[in-house]
Every structure is written in C-alpha cells, then in structure tokens.
Amino acid sequence: MTEKQLPGIVNGAVPGEPAKQDENSRRGNWGNQIEFILTSVGYAVGLGNVWRFPYLCYRNGGGAFMLPYFIMLVFCGIPLFFLELSFGQFASQGCLGVWKISPMFKGVGYGMMVVSTYIGIYYNVVICIAFYYFFMSMTDVLPWTYCNNPWNTPACVGVMDAANRTFANATSGLAAVAVEGVAAVVNRTKRTSPSEEYWKHYVLNISDDIGNFGEVRLPILGCLALSWVVVFLCLIKGVKSSGKVVYFTATFPYLVLTILFIRGVTLDGAINGIKYYLTPQWEKVLDAKVWGDAASQIFYSLGCAWGGLITMASYNKFHNNCFRDSIIISITNCATSVYAGFVIFSILGFMAHTLNVPVSEVADHGPGLAFVAYPEALTLLPVSPLWSMLFFFMLILLGLGTQFCLLETLTTAIVDEIGTDWIIKNKPIVTLGVAIIGFCLGVPLTTQAGIYWLLLMDNFAASFSLVLISCIMCICVMYIYGHRNYFKDVEMMLGFPPPLFFRICWRFISPLIISFILIFTVIQYKPITYNDYVYPGWSLGIGFCMAMSSVICIPIYALYRISRSPGATFRERLRNACKADPKWGPALREHRVGRYAPMVSGAEDGLEVLPLKEKEETKEKEELKEEEEARERKEDVCLTIQQGSNGSTATQNTPNPAVA
C-alpha cells in the first residue's frame, strides 16, 4: 500500500505512529529528507573547506576570487550536483547499478569505487591524527606551547618562551637586552616553532625519505583503529544509523565554527587577518590560474565523481525533489567555505599581530594549517586547551561526515552488485569487512614515512582522474543514452522537466568547464614537495599509477562489455553494449510506468517483489485463464470426435475435384 493510496500517510508513516515504512522495503530509505540533506552536507563539507579554501582565496586575489568561485558554482557545481543526485535517485542504485543506463560505461562506476577507496584510506588517517591532537589537548598546558621538551631542537623558538624571557629580563633590569632579544625572535624569517617540531619530531617522528618507512607510530595506529571503529558503528545499519548520527556530526561543526569566530574577531589583529583574506585584487581576475583554481575547488569540494552523491541519493524516495536539495546543499557547502575563512584568518591575523610579521608568513594550507599554524595560534589564547579541543573536535566531525559516505559508497556498490537476499540482510558484515580492509591498508600511513604517502595519495588519487570520470559520465548520460530520454526520466520522477538552464549546462557548459579543469590541471602540474623534501621520480610514478588505476577501469570494462555483447560485427556489438539494459529504470514496480511499464519483471531482475496479495491475485487469474483454455481445447476435441462418428468431417464432405 503506497502513500498515494492513503493520503494521511506522510513519509511512509501514519501521523501519530512512530514507525515509518520504507518505500523500497528491500533496500531501505532515509528516515526523512532532513537526514539525506544533513548527510549530503556532511559529505560535501569536509576538511578542504577549512584548510584549503581560505588559503586559495587569499592567494588568488582575496575578495576578487569570490567572483570566479561563484560563477563556477552556478555553471558547473550545482548542475553536476543535480545530475548525480537525479541519476542515483531515479534508479535507486549505487555507483555500479546506475550504469544499466549504458552497460559499456560501467567502468565509470568501478573508477568511482577506486577513487573512494583511495580517499577513504588516507582520509581516515587525517581523522585519526585529529583524534590524537584532541586527546593531547586534554591538559593544563598544550604540549606544543614551549621549546623545553625532549623532542625540541636548538633551532626551536616559541612565542611563549620569548615572552617568558622578556618578563625575566625586564624584572632583572635588562629591558634593553630583552627588547633586542624579542626583536631578533620575531624578525627571524626562518624560525622553527614548537608546534612544528611537535608535529614533525613527536607526532610523526618523520623519516628522511618516502622509502624509509621506519617504525609504526603506535599512538597514531591506536587512533586509526578508533576512527574505523567509530565509522563502522555509525554505519552498522547503513543509512538507518548514519542518518541519525548526522544530526550531530553535520550540525555541531557550525556551532564550533561560530564559537571560534566570535573568539577570533575579538582578538587584537584579527581585523588585519580578515582584511588580508578578503581584500580584492581585481587584476587577478584576468589570470586564467585563478579561474582554474576556482573551478577545481568547486569540483573537488562538492565531491563530484566520487560516487557518494549517487549512493546517498539512491536511498531517497522516488519522487523526492532532488533539484531543491542540490541547490540547498551546494550553496551550504560554499557558504561554509567562506565562513571558515573568517574563522581561520581572524586567528591567523591575531598570530601575525603577536609575532609582528605579515599574515602571509603564518598563512598555510593542508596539514600545515591544521596541525602546525593553527595549533600554534591557539597557544596564544587564554585557556588554550579548551580552544584546541574545540578546533580538533570540529576537524574530527568534518572528516567523519565525509568518511561515512565514502564507506557507504563502497558497501552499497558491493551489495547492489551481488544483490542476493543474503547479502542485503547481512550488509553489516560487508561494512565490517570493508572497514577492516581500510584499516589494514591505512597502517603504512602511520609509519614514520606515512605523511609522505598521505600527501602523495591526496595529490594523485583524486586529481585529474575525477575530472575524466565526471566528463565521461556527462557524455554518456547526455549523448549516449540521450538528453531527451534523460530529461523525460527526470520529469517522470520530479513531476517537472529540468529547468532550461540546467539542460544547457548538462549538454554544453559543464562539460566545457570540466575540460578546462583537466587542461588547467595538466598545464599547472608541478612535482609535489613536502616543505623542503622533493619527492623522488619513482614515487611520482606510483602516484601516476594510482591516478590512472581509476581511469583505466573505463576502457578495460568497455572492451570486455563489447566482447560479450551480441552482434556479428564490432559495430553491432558496440551499439548493443551502449543500449540501456532492459532492467534500467525505476526500481519499484509502482514507478515503472509509461515506456518502462513493459520491462517489469520479478525479483530476479533486481526489482522489488510484488506484495503477497497481488501475487495471489495474479496467480488466481493465471489459473483461471489456464482452466478456460483447457476447457476450450476439450470442447474442440469433443466436437471433432462427434463429427468423426457421423462420418462427415470437413475433409470427407468436400467434393473430390478429380471425381468431378
């Protein structure tokens, strides 16, 4: 019984009843639409919003960068987001199952799985380091405040150490020496901070080369195990459990950001940091690199081509308004990036003011911002352990929101592909297996060379490969399957066709922007470095292999599919491999109307089994039809016998032409 049959039912539940029925009882749905939106926001809003966007903004013209950023959001980000959401929601399948739309391109789905695997491995290592810093912040004095620790070197110069020496010298009548000493400290262009030495020599105990793994850092390994346990427990019941967790993980970071923002803007020098972050340099708008950075940031931050958006949308109810959701989530993601910039640069402005150096000297991005620059700034605040705990707890929640979707993407793809009742019923076992494998693959990243490998994966695993995957997906849906067919599918699902603007973007503008991103990525490529360490050629080769391992899935599977398709010639096999599978379309019988109605079959085709009552009625109709046909055959036989007994069959009554 569907919601349309009972008007009093909302979201699958009669008002007043706590239990909610799933529209897709075999696969399950989100408890309500808020859970989907929060999960998608948690997926799109990740660590990059905090440690990459603010840095890109000030590097590319400050406030002027907002112009190309929002243009790319409108013409590329939101259209691609809507395309992936509608794709997954229409078929109610993960990143593999949706390619029934054109089986030859199923390699795109496998490529998405490979990308999600790489990201899931190293992303959880970043989360585990945030866990470690969170636990280390539970102390009276942050351990990276002073330079008097066993892991510090003579080159270490801490701001708080200088302040203490200044006070001691002033009280002993050596004020002139103190002023000279502090000036020497703050004017040093190459100082080693206690937070940097804590990060390098204590947390990582970093080796001198990417090939020198050294020992496993046991505290980091323990936090990595904790991270995977948390992710598994939150996904133990799939979207049913993760949908409840995101009420906290997706909303609490905004509370922390607001607390840090209020604290930051009240500090001396904060306004200088914000000015540095926002002051527009309009001449940079004419620089192609700025537009390339804007397009890349929009593309990567929204999580396009990872497979997560398709997976999350596949648990929506069929007629959910994913067009509205795509606009809400995309704008929320970008607004969060801008807001995080105020938080980061207000604190960095205070730090620059305290050190009497330009903001550019303390600004950083990536792990350097999260685990060196920002922690050092926090030591300057009163009750610094509290602010440190809040900051790293926010990083943990931002990371977990993305990690939930990465793991769910892999699990859903495996379960949908196998599709048996046993695998669906025992999905938690699949989730556990994926989590254990992910933990084991992440162990090398907890060694002394782990940070080198983490940055290598971050630079190559999800770089130009994502751009290629997204471009091929657009071409397949719009030009192989056909834009008219897809527009009709969206209209059947939403009740209205995609707006004209989105139709134009899907067919022309977005693929062009994606191609621009790809060209920009190739032209602007530079060998990666970590501080002063230059990666050797063999490690870059491994990086390129990682990048190509997801893309190579596409041609390999295409050739395999063509070879297995019927046809006498290659052209016929190619045409048959590109045709939509008969099983393509809405997953539920009740939604397969119009041109999809004749394709309905039983559970063996991956469609939901008919309700018992409908099955019994169908069986009775078939039995009655068979009885009627048997009765007609019996009457025909009796008629023939009667005619034969009178000796007057049709053949016998016909005059013989030869006799005539």
Side-chain angles (χ1 to χ4, degrees):
M1 190 169 292
T2 65
E3 293 180 28
K4 292 182 179 179
Q5 290 170 310
L6 286 179
I9 291 181
V10 179
N11 287 332
V14 177
E17 289 186 1
K20 292 185 178 180
Q21 300 174 355
D22 288 328
E23 183 181 69
N24 191 332
S25 58
R26 189 166 190 261
R27 206 166 171 273
N29 294 110
W30 294 105
N32 56 62
Q33 209 49 37
I34 295 177
E35 293 181 7
F36 165 69
I37 292 177
L38 289 177
T39 301
S40 299
V41 167
Y43 172 66
V45 177
L47 298 174
N49 297 73
V50 173
W51 75 22
R52 179 168 169 78
F53 173 80
Y55 176 82
L56 283 178
C57 190
Y58 98 81
R59 191 183 73 178
N60 289 297
F65 181 70
M66 301 294 182
L67 176 63
Y69 182 72
F70 284 109
I71 289 176
M72 291 300 174
L73 170 67
V74 172
F75 287 96
C76 183
I78 296 178
L80 287 178
F81 206 92
F82 179 31
L83 178 64
E84 292 201 29
L85 290 190
S86 60
F87 197 16
Q89 181 174 305
F90 182 78
S92 296
Q93 291 285 302
C95 62
L96 289 182
V98 292
W99 292 103
K100 293 182 179 69
I101 193 173
S102 185
M104 191 182 84
F105 290 89
K106 192 175 182 179
V108 175
Y110 285 111
M112 290 177 174
M113 287 187 66
V114 172
V115 169
S116 292
T117 300
Y118 286 139
I119 299 174
I121 291 170
Y122 77 79
Y123 214 81
N124 225 15
V125 175
V126 177
I127 297 172
C128 86
I129 296 175
F131 264 116
Y132 180 78
Y133 269 81
F134 174 75
F135 293 138
M136 292 298 102
S137 300
M138 297 179 180
T139 179
D140 293 335
V141 178
L142 294 174
W144 55 85
T145 303
Y146 299 106
C147 290
N148 56 353
N149 301 289
W151 58 82
N152 291 128
T153 66
C156 178
V157 179
V159 178
M160 301 302 291
D161 289 318
N164 289 342
R165 287 198 298 270
T166 301
F167 179 76
N169 291 338
T171 54
S172 60
L174 299 175
V177 178
V179 171
E180 184 179 343
V182 173
V185 170
V186 298
N187 290 328
R188 289 181 61 177
T189 58
K190 191 70 176 178
R191 75 183 188 91
T192 305
S193 66
S195 63
E196 183 179 357
E197 294 202 349
Y198 180 79
W199 164 247
K200 284 185 177 180
H201 304 315
Y202 185 75
V203 178
L204 301 178
N205 193 13
I206 191 170
S207 65
D208 59 351
D209 186 71
I210 188 173
N212 181 14
F213 285 91
E215 63 180 9
V216 173
R217 302 293 296 150
L218 293 180
I220 303 299
L221 182 65
C223 290
L224 180 63
L226 174 63
S227 299
W228 278 109
V229 168
V230 170
V231 173
F232 168 70
L233 291 178
C234 292
L235 288 174
I236 193 169
K237 293 184 178 180
V239 297
K240 293 299 182 187
S241 54
S242 65
K244 302 299 182 288
V245 175
V246 293
Y247 281 104
F248 178 73
T249 60
T251 57
F252 195 76
Y254 290 96
L255 177 61
V256 176
L257 277 173
T258 301
I259 294 172
L260 292 173
F261 172 72
I262 294 173
R263 182 66 184 111
V265 296
T266 59
L267 298 171
D268 294 334
I271 190 65
N272 295 329
I274 294 175
K275 283 182 179 178
Y276 194 81
Y277 166 54
L278 291 179
T279 300
Q281 303 171 37
W282 294 109
E283 66 277 4
K284 287 196 173 184
V285 174
L286 302 177
D287 188 352
K289 184 177 183 300
V290 174
W291 290 84
D293 279 343
S296 300
Q297 178 63 15
I298 284 290
F299 183 84
Y300 294 124
S301 67
L302 288 176
C304 298
W306 291 16
L309 299 177
I310 294 174
T311 302
M312 295 302 104
S314 71
Y315 292 102
N316 279 334
K317 293 184 178 179
F318 184 73
H319 294 295
N320 169 64
N321 190 349
C322 58
F323 170 67
R324 171 204 60 202
D325 296 342
S326 63
I327 295 176
I328 293 173
I329 298 166
S330 300
I331 293 178
T332 300
N333 172 72
C334 296
T336 303
S337 297
V338 176
Y339 186 38
F342 285 96
V343 177
I344 297 299
F345 273 86
S346 63
I347 299 291
L348 294 183
F350 164 66
M351 181 180 177
H353 173 78
T354 304
L355 295 176
N356 194 25
V357 296
V359 178
S360 58
E361 289 192 17
V362 296
D364 203 347
H365 70 290
L369 171 67
F371 303 117
V372 177
Y374 210 84
E376 182 179 15
L378 294 174
T379 61
L380 304 176
L381 299 177
V383 200
S384 55
L386 171 64
W387 305 111
S388 181
M389 288 173 62
L390 283 174
F391 176 73
F392 288 111
F393 190 55
M394 178 188 69
L395 290 187
I396 291 169
L397 295 182
L398 288 174
L400 287 176
T402 303
Q403 190 69 17
F404 290 159
C405 296
L406 291 170
L407 184 59
E408 184 63 36
T409 297
L410 298 174
T411 304
T412 297
I414 295 170
V415 171
D416 285 348
E417 185 68 7
I418 299 174
T420 62
D421 291 335
W422 185 90
I423 201 76
I424 292 173
K425 183 179 179 181
N426 293 278
K427 186 178 177 181
I429 297 177
V430 180
T431 305
L432 177 61
V434 174
I436 292 174
I437 294 173
F439 169 74
C440 294
L441 293 176
V443 170
L445 301 185
T446 64
T447 62
Q448 291 176 262
I451 188 64
Y452 298 125
W453 290 99
L454 189 151
L455 293 175
L456 186 74
M457 294 179 73
D458 185 43
N459 277 271
F460 285 99
S463 56
F464 66 87
S465 57
L466 282 179
V467 184
L468 280 173
I469 289 172
S470 185
C471 189
I472 293 172
M473 182 182 70
C474 281
I475 293 172
C476 173
V477 175
M478 291 294 109
Y479 297 100
I480 305 299
Y481 176 65
H483 62 277
R484 291 187 180 87
N485 290 332
Y486 194 73
F487 297 161
K488 290 177 183 177
D489 290 343
V490 173
E491 184 175 6
M492 185 178 81
M493 178 174 64
L494 301 183
F496 58 88
L500 178 61
F501 172 77
F502 285 85
R503 283 181 272 169
I504 295 173
C505 285
W506 286 347
R507 295 183 62 196
F508 307 111
I509 300 177
S510 295
L512 285 176
I513 293 176
I514 294 171
S515 301
F516 168 68
I517 297 172
L518 179 61
I519 295 171
F520 168 78
T521 304
V522 173
I523 293 176
Q524 294 292 326
Y525 169 76
K526 295 179 181 178
I528 63 171
T529 59
Y530 178 61
N531 294 333
D532 297 329
Y533 177 76
V534 179
Y535 280 69
W538 64 266
S539 64
L540 298 179
I542 293 176
F544 279 111
C545 288
M546 280 193 292
M548 292 305 299
S549 62
S550 56
V551 178
I552 200 67
C553 294
I554 302 173
I556 289 177
Y557 188 86
L559 292 174
Y560 164 77
R561 190 72 192 191
I562 292 171
S563 66
R564 299 294 298 272
S565 298
T569 64
F570 176 81
R571 187 173 182 178
E572 290 178 0
R573 290 195 296 269
L574 177 63
R575 186 168 56 249
N576 290 328
C578 290
K579 285 181 180 177
D581 192 283
K583 302 172 188 176
W584 163 251
L588 302 185
R589 176 184 174 87
E590 63 205 66
H591 298 142
R592 294 183 75 94
V593 296
R595 59 197 178 104
Y596 292 102
M599 301 181 190
V600 178
S601 58
E604 67 276 8
D605 289 340
L607 304 178
E608 188 168 84
V609 182
L610 291 176
L612 182 59
K613 185 176 179 180
E614 291 185 28
K615 289 177 66 178
E616 290 175 350
E617 290 176 353
T618 304
K619 188 175 180 180
E620 289 175 1
K621 290 178 181 179
E622 291 175 352
E623 290 176 351
L624 289 172
K625 187 176 181 180
E626 289 176 0
E627 290 177 1
E628 186 177 349
E629 290 175 352
R631 193 183 308 112
E632 289 177 355
R633 287 196 299 270
K634 186 176 180 180
E635 290 174 356
D636 290 342
V637 171
C638 292
L639 180 61
T640 303
I641 292 173
Q642 290 173 0
Q643 290 173 340
S645 62
N646 294 330
S648 58
T649 61
T651 304
Q652 291 172 334
N653 290 337
T654 303
N656 192 337
V659 175

